[in-house]
């Protein structure tokens, strides 16, 4: 994911891109984020196809992505932007009735899933949260995901999850289980007697070894293997 860089004479800012086909939504988000000292809106896009251009030209750290858009929808756009050499974090921000998209969005690699009626301070907090490597879900999205996780995985899916986890070192396996239980980096560090930077390094390796792009995907793999 993109990292922040600060110049000697300017504060660190999180660069945000807004992708939504509704101009009123884009305007409202832009006004809200524009008032934050540590956030800069670097561009907007009206559909998933434009989102890819936005990522390539403006290099946002975080993209707020709608799902239902013309030409290329937000799910496909998320997959495409995360396939870039320096992908942003993606937070799906969509309508109240879109629960069916929660798992698909996370499977596509999104770091978060929020509803458009989420209070502005929580949207701002979500942007800061994904920048430190944590996932963020609205309460309703969390309930949808829990329902998905409670479903028994197929034999093929379970076997594939076990094979992926077998590639891990003992310590990486411990960290994966902790992520699967929903622990934050700080909580994992405390439980395993590690420093937070060490935990972050292990989580980064888990992304590579498990083919995951966010912590939720790690948790799903651990669950599918029957370990939590």
């Amino acid at each position: 994911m993109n990292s922040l860089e600060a110049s000697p004479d300017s504060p660190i800012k999180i660069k945000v891109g807004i992708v939504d086909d509704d101009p009123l939504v884009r305007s409202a988000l832009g006004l809200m984020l524009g008032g934050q000292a540590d956030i800069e809106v670097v561009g907007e896009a009206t559909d998933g196809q434009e989102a890819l251009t936005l990522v390539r030209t403006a290099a946002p750290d975080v993209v707020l992505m709608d799902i239902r858009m013309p030409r290329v929808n937000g799910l496909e756009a998320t997959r495409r932007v995360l396939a870039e050499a320096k992908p942003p974090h993606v937070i799906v921000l969509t309508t109240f009735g879109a629960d069916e998209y929660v798992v698909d969005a996370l499977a596509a690699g999104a770091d978060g899933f929020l509803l458009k009626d989420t209070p502005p301070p929580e949207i701002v907090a979500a942007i800061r949260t994904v920048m430190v490597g944590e996932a963020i879900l609205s309460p309703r999205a969390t309930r949808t995901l829990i329902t998905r996780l409670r479903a028994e995985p197929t034999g093929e899916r379970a076997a594939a999850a076990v094979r992926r986890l077998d590639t891990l070192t003992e310590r990486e396996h411990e960290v994966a289980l902790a992520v699967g239980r929903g622990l934050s980096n700080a909580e994992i560090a405390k439980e395993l007697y590690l420093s937070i930077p060490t935990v972050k390094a292990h989580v980064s390796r888990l992304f590579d070894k498990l083919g995951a792009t966010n912590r939720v995907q790690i948790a799903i793999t651990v669950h599918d293997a029957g370990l939590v």
Side-chain angles (χ1 to χ4, degrees):
M1 299 297 178
N2 290 342
S3 60
L4 297 179
E5 296 180 359
S7 64
D9 56 353
S10 65
I12 295 174
K13 284 183 177 286
I14 302 171
K15 297 185 293 182
V16 176
I18 300 171
V19 183
D20 198 296
D21 62 334
D22 187 335
L24 293 179
V25 171
R26 295 197 306 274
S27 177
L29 288 172
L31 287 172
M32 175 187 70
L33 298 176
Q36 305 300 314
D38 61 337
I39 293 176
E40 176 187 6
V41 176
V42 295
E44 299 179 0
T46 63
D47 59 42
Q49 187 167 313
E50 290 183 5
L52 190 58
T53 300
L54 169 64
V55 167
R56 289 174 174 172
T57 57
D61 299 302
V62 178
V63 170
L64 299 180
M65 182 81 74
D66 188 21
I67 287 183
R68 294 174 178 172
M69 297 182 292
R71 296 202 296 178
V72 177
N73 66 38
L75 296 176
E76 179 59 27
T78 295
R79 296 186 188 98
R80 293 184 186 182
V81 300
L82 292 178
E84 290 292 294
K86 293 184 178 180
H89 297 277
V90 175
I91 298 174
V92 169
L93 190 63
T94 193
T95 55
F96 189 78
D99 281 7
E100 67 271 22
Y101 293 120
V102 174
V103 174
D104 288 340
L106 296 173
D111 294 280
F113 191 103
L114 296 176
L115 302 175
K116 285 183 178 176
D117 61 355
T118 299
E122 293 182 21
I123 295 176
V124 172
I127 291 170
R128 295 173 180 144
T129 296
V130 299
M131 281 302 298
V132 296
E134 304 287 353
I136 187 75
L137 297 174
S138 69
R140 184 165 179 174
T142 299
R143 289 195 296 272
T144 300
L145 182 62
I146 289 172
T147 299
R148 154 68 170 79
L149 290 176
R150 283 176 175 167
E152 285 296 322
T154 64
E156 181 180 346
R157 200 172 82 217
V162 169
R163 287 195 298 271
R164 289 197 295 273
L165 291 171
D166 282 345
T167 67
L168 306 180
T169 66
E170 182 177 353
R171 180 62 83 186
E172 289 166 351
H173 198 272
E174 291 175 338
V175 173
L177 291 181
V179 171
R181 288 162 45 214
L183 300 188
S184 67
N185 287 343
E187 290 168 334
I188 295 171
K190 182 177 181 180
E191 181 171 293
L192 299 181
Y193 302 100
L194 300 171
S195 69
I196 292 178
T198 297
V199 172
K200 289 181 178 179
H202 282 306
V203 172
S204 180
R205 285 194 289 273
L206 289 177
F207 289 154
D208 292 336
K209 289 189 174 183
L210 299 180
T213 57
N214 59 48
R215 298 169 76 92
V216 176
Q217 290 180 337
I218 294 174
I220 289 174
T221 298
V222 170
H223 175 272
D224 284 350
L227 300 180
V228 293

